[in-house]
Amino acid sequence: MAGRNTVIRSMHDLGLAAWFGGNLMGAVGVNGAAAGAKDPVERLTLSSLGWTKWAPFQVGALVVHGIGGIGLIAGNKSRLAGQREARGNTALKLVLTAAAIGTTAWSGVVGTQMAKNAQEGAKGTTEPGAGTSDELASAQRQQKLLQWATPVLTGVLLVLGAQQGEQQRPFAGLLGRR
């Protein structure tokens, strides 16, 4: 087994945990609470303010996770070369990480469109109102899906990280899983 990578592994896991948790809390807490505002304009305004405050921390979480992930790949290159299951897990994690980065970025763009049109008001944070413009309605429909896509993708990444940890148990590679 390779030497310890505690700092790098912690960066990988803490960055991913913040990315997952922040987006899940945003979908449930920020968007959910803002949708309950009495004033239709406040619904989008409050949601946009909450997500704007989270954005720098989300970028930080992504960077920390990315540095940790690159460090783990570099630190485990001999293990990845010798364990087919670890290689497959890592490849799947890379694809899902790219997808989660994509949904995160797309959600940011859509959120910016929603903030720009917040003065129109809405039925809910991700539900258009009767007088909602096509631009805002489109952004809200997209955000309704995106707000859940990132937590789902990052949640799967957390599970795959746990699986990869199990693969590092002593003798895991000697039990016929090559």
Side-chain angles (χ1 to χ4, degrees), residues 12-143:
H12 173 270
D13 293 351
L14 288 171
L16 181 55
W19 189 11
F20 166 78
N23 279 277
L24 183 59
M25 194 288 189
V28 174
V30 173
N31 288 351
K38 290 184 176 149
D39 180 354
V41 173
E42 279 187 342
R43 293 175 189 145
L44 295 174
T45 302
L46 291 172
S47 176
S48 295
L49 286 171
W51 283 104
T52 299
K53 288 192 175 283
W54 166 243
F57 294 94
Q58 178 158 266
V59 170
L62 285 164
V63 168
V64 168
H65 173 67
I67 292 168
I70 291 167
L72 282 176
I73 290 170
N76 289 296
K77 59 185 169 204
S78 62
R79 177 173 162 240
L80 294 173
Q83 284 185 328
R84 186 187 64 198
E85 190 175 6
R87 273 192 315 276
N89 180 296
T90 299
L92 181 56
K93 283 173 61 180
L94 287 169
V95 168
L96 292 175
T97 299
I101 289 169
T103 60
T104 299
W106 184 9
S107 182
V109 168
V110 169
T112 300
Q113 291 172 339
M114 289 169 59
K116 184 179 87 175
N117 294 298
Q119 76 286 350
E120 293 179 31
K123 181 178 177 185
T125 306
T126 58
E127 294 79 32
T132 303
S133 69
D134 290 343
E135 180 183 5
L136 177 55
S138 173
Q140 287 180 293
R141 282 191 297 274
Q142 291 174 66
Q143 195 69 280

